[in-house]
Amino acid sequence: MTEFIQGTCLLMCPEKERWIREKEGLLHRFEIDDSEKRTGSPKADPTKIVKCFSRPAAGIIMTDPKQLRPAPVLLSTIEYLFTKISTRTDTDWVIVYDFIFDRLRSVRQDVAIQRIDASTNIRLLELIVRFLVYSSQRLCERSTSEFNGKINDQHLAECITRLMILYDGSEVERDFAMEKLDGGTDESKKTKKTSNKKDREQMEALYILLNMGNTEVLTRALRLPSDLRRSTDVQLSMRISFAWYLKNYVRVCSLIPQLSPLLICAAMTGIEKLRRVALRIMSSGYNSKVFTFPGLKLQRLLLYKDIEKLRADCESFGLGFTDQNVSFQKANFRGQVESAHPEMYYTQETMQNFLPQILLESVQ
């Protein structure tokens, strides 16, 4: 029989970990008591310190209930991270990201050890996915020494894949429960079927956009319940994914601006590969030693915000760029270059302004 563990720690960080990290000087500056910041051995503020991620090691008991936070505490921890930490403007946001990213890994670890129920797990993963998608766009232009986009994307893929599995599993369980439901009004049954519908629609759309052109993901989308499949976000995301599958890069880029901000962030995670494919196709279609293609038009077609970014990509792929015009020559295209340079769709200021809409409203 499977043994289930129920955490008993009601703080964001267990006392034992707080004592150890105070002793070893492992407190993050976001966790230090304000009155202790200038002391030689600062103490943690119990209302600010958050359990950090730790790998299993010899001698460490990961299943100790006193070191595990129950579901309500995990939810309040994410709420704290989003409302108090993500909104900080007094420090570089990459530092904010590193702190939140690590603490969210710890949340996921507590969830896995306790085998928290599917509905709560779904709620937690929805919040984490939004943060990872947002971060992938806000920090995409940072150097790899500051922000490792591949690791962020890896964790994002793990979280959203797990979320889809939970959705599919809960769908089966819900249908079975509804079949067994003898009593209850039609309104109560309707409520059961449509709870968290907006969140589910957004997550399904994100999954499609993060896997643009993937036939398995598109097939799954076509098999979704009709109310989900016909939602605006899912429909538009499917159209974009189909266009990408057909290598219709112009249509993909014309549809992306119609998405909501968070979905645009997700779509932009694939823009580097899309631009590479588009430039390769155009190198064949517009191959010429005499004629050039207007760079400003290409900038608009491929959603470049800065003409200099287009210039950098053209030079990276071996294409001529003179007087803001592109010279496409098939023989000169550097196919060994895997993708274009990353570029933000929005400005940093706009991304900061989107925080309430993307993260903060999701924890209400």
Side-chain angles (χ1 to χ4, degrees), residues 292-293 310-311 314-315 317-329 332:
T292 59
F293 192 94
L310 175 58
R311 178 197 295 274
C314 287
E315 292 175 352
F317 290 114
L319 304 176
F321 193 93
T322 307
D323 297 328
Q324 295 192 343
N325 293 316
V326 184
S327 176
F328 286 111
Q329 293 186 42
N332 294 339

mmCIF file of all heavy atoms in Angstrom, residues 292-293 310-311 314-315 317-329 332:
data_model
loop_
_atom_site.group_PDB
_atom_site.id
_atom_site.type_symbol
_atom_site.label_atom_id
_atom_site.label_comp_id
_atom_site.label_asym_id
_atom_site.label_seq_id
_atom_site.Cartn_x
_atom_site.Cartn_y
_atom_site.Cartn_z
ATOM 1 N N THR A 292 17.766 43.037 -54.339
ATOM 2 C CA THR A 292 17.738 42.928 -52.873
ATOM 3 C C THR A 292 16.305 43.020 -52.374
ATOM 4 O O THR A 292 15.405 43.448 -53.096
ATOM 5 C CB THR A 292 18.578 44.043 -52.218
ATOM 6 O OG1 THR A 292 18.059 45.321 -52.629
ATOM 7 C CG2 THR A 292 20.042 43.919 -52.606
ATOM 8 N N PHE A 293 16.122 42.628 -51.127
ATOM 9 C CA PHE A 293 14.795 42.653 -50.494
ATOM 10 C C PHE A 293 14.798 43.781 -49.469
ATOM 11 O O PHE A 293 15.733 43.902 -48.670
ATOM 12 C CB PHE A 293 14.502 41.321 -49.810
ATOM 13 C CG PHE A 293 13.071 41.141 -49.388
ATOM 14 C CD1 PHE A 293 12.162 40.488 -50.209
ATOM 15 C CD2 PHE A 293 12.614 41.619 -48.159
ATOM 16 C CE1 PHE A 293 10.842 40.308 -49.824
ATOM 17 C CE2 PHE A 293 11.299 41.454 -47.769
ATOM 18 C CZ PHE A 293 10.408 40.802 -48.608
ATOM 19 N N LEU A 310 17.806 42.636 -37.049
ATOM 20 C CA LEU A 310 17.706 41.993 -38.356
ATOM 21 C C LEU A 310 19.065 41.965 -39.037
ATOM 22 O O LEU A 310 19.461 40.951 -39.626
ATOM 23 C CB LEU A 310 16.692 42.735 -39.226
ATOM 24 C CG LEU A 310 16.558 42.251 -40.675
ATOM 25 C CD1 LEU A 310 16.187 40.783 -40.741
ATOM 26 C CD2 LEU A 310 15.538 43.105 -41.426
ATOM 27 N N ARG A 311 19.788 43.068 -38.959
ATOM 28 C CA ARG A 311 21.122 43.118 -39.543
ATOM 29 C C ARG A 311 22.030 42.031 -38.930
ATOM 30 O O ARG A 311 22.743 41.319 -39.651
ATOM 31 C CB ARG A 311 21.752 44.487 -39.320
ATOM 32 C CG ARG A 311 23.175 44.601 -39.875
ATOM 33 C CD ARG A 311 23.895 45.814 -39.270
ATOM 34 N NE ARG A 311 23.255 47.042 -39.674
ATOM 35 C CZ ARG A 311 23.540 47.684 -40.811
ATOM 36 N NH1 ARG A 311 24.438 47.191 -41.633
ATOM 37 N NH2 ARG A 311 22.915 48.813 -41.101
ATOM 38 N N CYS A 314 21.069 38.608 -40.255
ATOM 39 C CA CYS A 314 21.477 38.439 -41.658
ATOM 40 C C CYS A 314 22.973 38.159 -41.743
ATOM 41 O O CYS A 314 23.404 37.252 -42.464
ATOM 42 C CB CYS A 314 21.125 39.684 -42.463
ATOM 43 S SG CYS A 314 19.355 39.867 -42.787
ATOM 44 N N GLU A 315 23.757 38.903 -40.986
ATOM 45 C CA GLU A 315 25.196 38.686 -40.994
ATOM 46 C C GLU A 315 25.553 37.327 -40.401
ATOM 47 O O GLU A 315 26.477 36.662 -40.869
ATOM 48 C CB GLU A 315 25.884 39.812 -40.223
ATOM 49 C CG GLU A 315 25.771 41.164 -40.920
ATOM 50 C CD GLU A 315 26.360 42.302 -40.088
ATOM 51 O OE1 GLU A 315 26.704 42.045 -38.908
ATOM 52 O OE2 GLU A 315 26.455 43.432 -40.612
ATOM 53 N N PHE A 317 23.777 34.617 -40.577
ATOM 54 C CA PHE A 317 23.434 33.579 -41.538
ATOM 55 C C PHE A 317 24.132 33.754 -42.890
ATOM 56 O O PHE A 317 23.829 33.030 -43.844
ATOM 57 C CB PHE A 317 21.914 33.540 -41.754
ATOM 58 C CG PHE A 317 21.153 33.033 -40.562
ATOM 59 C CD1 PHE A 317 20.293 33.857 -39.856
ATOM 60 C CD2 PHE A 317 21.314 31.730 -40.120
ATOM 61 C CE1 PHE A 317 19.595 33.399 -38.748
ATOM 62 C CE2 PHE A 317 20.629 31.251 -39.017
ATOM 63 C CZ PHE A 317 19.767 32.086 -38.322
ATOM 64 N N GLY A 318 25.041 34.711 -42.978
ATOM 65 C CA GLY A 318 25.801 34.890 -44.203
ATOM 66 C C GLY A 318 25.094 35.667 -45.286
ATOM 67 O O GLY A 318 25.480 35.595 -46.468
ATOM 68 N N LEU A 319 24.067 36.428 -44.938
ATOM 69 C CA LEU A 319 23.315 37.212 -45.917
ATOM 70 C C LEU A 319 23.839 38.646 -45.957
ATOM 71 O O LEU A 319 24.167 39.210 -44.923
ATOM 72 C CB LEU A 319 21.820 37.205 -45.566
ATOM 73 C CG LEU A 319 21.160 35.835 -45.423
ATOM 74 C CD1 LEU A 319 19.708 35.993 -44.967
ATOM 75 C CD2 LEU A 319 21.216 35.065 -46.736
ATOM 76 N N GLY A 320 23.862 39.207 -47.144
ATOM 77 C CA GLY A 320 24.307 40.588 -47.269
ATOM 78 C C GLY A 320 23.262 41.567 -46.759
ATOM 79 O O GLY A 320 22.058 41.351 -46.921
ATOM 80 N N PHE A 321 23.729 42.645 -46.116
ATOM 81 C CA PHE A 321 22.806 43.660 -45.599
ATOM 82 C C PHE A 321 23.434 45.023 -45.872
ATOM 83 O O PHE A 321 24.375 45.427 -45.201
ATOM 84 C CB PHE A 321 22.568 43.459 -44.101
ATOM 85 C CG PHE A 321 21.422 44.242 -43.547
ATOM 86 C CD1 PHE A 321 20.153 43.685 -43.461
ATOM 87 C CD2 PHE A 321 21.593 45.558 -43.122
ATOM 88 C CE1 PHE A 321 19.089 44.403 -42.941
ATOM 89 C CE2 PHE A 321 20.537 46.298 -42.612
ATOM 90 C CZ PHE A 321 19.270 45.704 -42.524
ATOM 91 N N THR A 322 22.905 45.717 -46.877
ATOM 92 C CA THR A 322 23.461 47.007 -47.284
ATOM 93 C C THR A 322 22.347 48.030 -47.431
ATOM 94 O O THR A 322 21.337 47.765 -48.100
ATOM 95 C CB THR A 322 24.206 46.878 -48.622
ATOM 96 O OG1 THR A 322 25.182 45.822 -48.529
ATOM 97 C CG2 THR A 322 24.918 48.179 -48.973
ATOM 98 N N ASP A 323 22.540 49.195 -46.820
ATOM 99 C CA ASP A 323 21.545 50.270 -46.907
ATOM 100 C C ASP A 323 20.148 49.780 -46.532
ATOM 101 O O ASP A 323 19.150 50.103 -47.182
ATOM 102 C CB ASP A 323 21.521 50.873 -48.318
ATOM 103 C CG ASP A 323 22.832 51.532 -48.691
ATOM 104 O OD1 ASP A 323 23.502 52.058 -47.774
ATOM 105 O OD2 ASP A 323 23.193 51.521 -49.879
ATOM 106 N N GLN A 324 20.098 48.965 -45.476
ATOM 107 C CA GLN A 324 18.845 48.403 -44.950
ATOM 108 C C GLN A 324 18.124 47.533 -45.971
ATOM 109 O O GLN A 324 16.903 47.370 -45.918
ATOM 110 C CB GLN A 324 17.916 49.517 -44.445
ATOM 111 C CG GLN A 324 18.476 50.269 -43.244
ATOM 112 C CD GLN A 324 17.475 51.161 -42.575
ATOM 113 O OE1 GLN A 324 16.421 51.497 -43.138
ATOM 114 N NE2 GLN A 324 17.753 51.562 -41.344
ATOM 115 N N ASN A 325 18.862 46.921 -46.877
ATOM 116 C CA ASN A 325 18.315 45.970 -47.837
ATOM 117 C C ASN A 325 19.064 44.654 -47.711
ATOM 118 O O ASN A 325 20.276 44.637 -47.442
ATOM 119 C CB ASN A 325 18.420 46.504 -49.267
ATOM 120 C CG ASN A 325 17.526 47.713 -49.504
ATOM 121 O OD1 ASN A 325 16.373 47.722 -49.087
ATOM 122 N ND2 ASN A 325 18.065 48.753 -50.122
ATOM 123 N N VAL A 326 18.348 43.551 -47.907
ATOM 124 C CA VAL A 326 18.917 42.224 -47.715
ATOM 125 C C VAL A 326 19.197 41.574 -49.060
ATOM 126 O O VAL A 326 18.343 41.578 -49.951
ATOM 127 C CB VAL A 326 17.961 41.325 -46.904
ATOM 128 C CG1 VAL A 326 18.606 39.969 -46.626
ATOM 129 C CG2 VAL A 326 17.566 41.999 -45.597
ATOM 130 N N SER A 327 20.390 41.028 -49.197
ATOM 131 C CA SER A 327 20.770 40.308 -50.412
ATOM 132 C C SER A 327 20.686 38.811 -50.134
ATOM 133 O O SER A 327 21.485 38.260 -49.377
ATOM 134 C CB SER A 327 22.198 40.686 -50.827
ATOM 135 O OG SER A 327 22.617 39.921 -51.942
ATOM 136 N N PHE A 328 19.673 38.149 -50.715
ATOM 137 C CA PHE A 328 19.478 36.718 -50.509
ATOM 138 C C PHE A 328 20.228 35.927 -51.581
ATOM 139 O O PHE A 328 19.967 36.091 -52.780
ATOM 140 C CB PHE A 328 17.990 36.362 -50.571
ATOM 141 C CG PHE A 328 17.212 36.795 -49.364
ATOM 142 C CD1 PHE A 328 16.272 37.820 -49.454
ATOM 143 C CD2 PHE A 328 17.415 36.200 -48.129
ATOM 144 C CE1 PHE A 328 15.547 38.220 -48.350
ATOM 145 C CE2 PHE A 328 16.707 36.603 -47.008
ATOM 146 C CZ PHE A 328 15.770 37.611 -47.115
ATOM 147 N N GLN A 329 21.141 35.084 -51.130
ATOM 148 C CA GLN A 329 21.853 34.185 -52.029
ATOM 149 C C GLN A 329 21.931 32.815 -51.365
ATOM 150 O O GLN A 329 22.516 32.671 -50.290
ATOM 151 C CB GLN A 329 23.249 34.711 -52.351
ATOM 152 C CG GLN A 329 23.245 36.006 -53.169
ATOM 153 C CD GLN A 329 24.630 36.414 -53.599
ATOM 154 O OE1 GLN A 329 25.434 35.563 -54.013
ATOM 155 N NE2 GLN A 329 24.922 37.695 -53.528
ATOM 156 N N ASN A 332 25.190 31.263 -50.096
ATOM 157 C CA ASN A 332 25.874 31.905 -48.973
ATOM 158 C C ASN A 332 25.224 31.634 -47.617
ATOM 159 O O ASN A 332 25.783 31.995 -46.576
ATOM 160 C CB ASN A 332 25.930 33.418 -49.191
ATOM 161 C CG ASN A 332 26.803 33.797 -50.377
ATOM 162 O OD1 ASN A 332 27.660 33.013 -50.787
ATOM 163 N ND2 ASN A 332 26.585 34.984 -50.931
#
